[in-house]
C-alpha cells in the first residue's frame, strides 16, 4: 500500500470501508407487478436507435426483447440509424470475434441468442451506410431492411397490437 499522510489515514478511518460485507442486500426484492406471459398471438416490438457500447440502452433493449420472447411473445427488434452498428459481426480486437475488453461482444452474443431462440432482427441499410458499415458484415440471421421499412414496420406491429418499446439515443 502507498505511504499515506496523517490526514489521508484520518479520512480512511472516519467511516469503515466497506461498511457492509460483500453479499449484503442493499435493496428489497419485492416484485410489484405480475410476471406476465404472452397470451395467444401477442407481439412485442423494439426499435433501437442507440450506438453499441455508448450506453447500456441498446444492450438493455436486447435483453428486454429476449425476455419478452421467452415469455412467449412473437418478438422482433429493428435497429436503425446509429443503432444499425449493433448488428455488426465485425466487432472485436485485434481480430473479429476477440473481445478486447470484457463485455465487448455482449451485444453480438445476445443478438445471436435472440435469433437462435426465434426472434427476428431487422437492420436498416441506410443506418449501415451512414457509418460506412457493409451489409455483408451483419451478424448471421440479421435481416437487412430498406430505410422506408422503419415506419412501415412500426405500423405493421402497431396494427398487430404489439407492445412497442422504442429506445432512442442521439
Amino acid at each position: 500500500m502507498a505511504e499515506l499522510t496523517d490526514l489521508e489515514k484520518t479520512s480512511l478511518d472516519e467511516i469503515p470501508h466497506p461498511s457492509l460485507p460483500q453479499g449484503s442486500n442493499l435493496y428489497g426484492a419485492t416484485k410489484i407487478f405480475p410476471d406476465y406471459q404472452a397470451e395467444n398471438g401477442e407481439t412485442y416490438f423494439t426499435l433501437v436507435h442507440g450506438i453499441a457500447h455508448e450506453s447500456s440502452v441498446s444492450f438493455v433493449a436486447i435483453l428486454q426483447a429476449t425476455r419478452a420472447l421467452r415469455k412467449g411473445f412473437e418478438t422482433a427488434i429493428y435497429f436503425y440509424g446509429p443503432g444499425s452498428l449493433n448488428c455488426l459481426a465485425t466487432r472485436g480486437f485485434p481480430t473479429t470475434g476477440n473481445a478486447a475488453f470484457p463485455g465487448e461482444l455482449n451485444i453480438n452474443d445476445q443478438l445471436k441468442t435472440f435469433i437462435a431462440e426465434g426472434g427476428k432482427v431487422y437492420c436498416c441499410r441506410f443506418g449501415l451506410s451512414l457509418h460506412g458499415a457493409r451489409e455483408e458484415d451483419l451478424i448471421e440471421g440479421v435481416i437487412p431492411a430498406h430505410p422506408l421499412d422503419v415506419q412501415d414496420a412500426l405500423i405493421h406491429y402497431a396494427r398487430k397490437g404489439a407492445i412497442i418499446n422504442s429506445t432512442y439515443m442521439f
Side-chain angles (χ1 to χ4, degrees):
M1 186 171 206
E3 185 73 29
L4 301 178
T5 68
D6 289 339
L7 288 175
E8 290 169 335
K9 290 176 191 174
T10 300
S11 181
L12 278 173
D13 293 339
E14 286 177 328
I15 304 290
H17 296 91
S19 58
L20 294 173
Q22 188 171 356
S24 297
N25 286 330
L26 296 176
Y27 309 101
T30 302
K31 187 174 181 319
I32 298 169
F33 296 97
D35 184 16
Y36 290 106
Q37 302 298 309
E39 294 179 8
N40 189 30
E42 284 190 312
T43 307
Y44 187 95
F45 184 60
T46 298
L47 290 163
V48 180
H49 188 278
I51 301 170
H53 303 295
E54 294 296 320
S55 77
S56 62
V57 172
S58 297
F59 187 53
V60 170
I62 299 165
L63 292 174
Q64 289 178 331
T66 302
R67 185 166 185 249
L69 181 67
R70 290 175 179 168
K71 286 173 168 280
F73 288 88
E74 173 194 329
T75 308
I77 307 171
Y78 198 117
F79 292 91
Y80 68 108
S84 300
L85 297 176
N86 289 283
C87 298
L88 296 178
T90 52
R91 192 168 285 109
F93 186 85
T95 59
T96 59
N98 288 307
F101 58 88
E104 180 182 6
L105 301 176
N106 282 354
I107 288 173
N108 295 58
D109 294 341
Q110 193 59 41
L111 281 176
K112 290 174 187 176
T113 296
F114 180 76
I115 292 167
E117 292 184 13
K120 288 185 181 178
V121 177
Y122 301 98
C123 181
C124 180
R125 289 178 167 126
F126 184 67
L128 290 172
S129 75
L130 288 173
H131 303 284
R134 305 175 314 163
E135 191 170 315
E136 58 264 34
D137 294 332
L138 292 174
I139 293 168
E140 186 176 358
V142 172
I143 304 163
H146 191 279
L148 296 178
D149 279 330
V150 175
Q151 184 181 52
D152 289 320
L154 187 58
I155 293 167
H156 171 80
Y157 282 99
R159 285 185 175 171
K160 288 179 78 151
I163 295 165
I164 298 175
N165 177 27
S166 182
T167 66
Y168 194 90
M169 186 179 116
F170 56 93

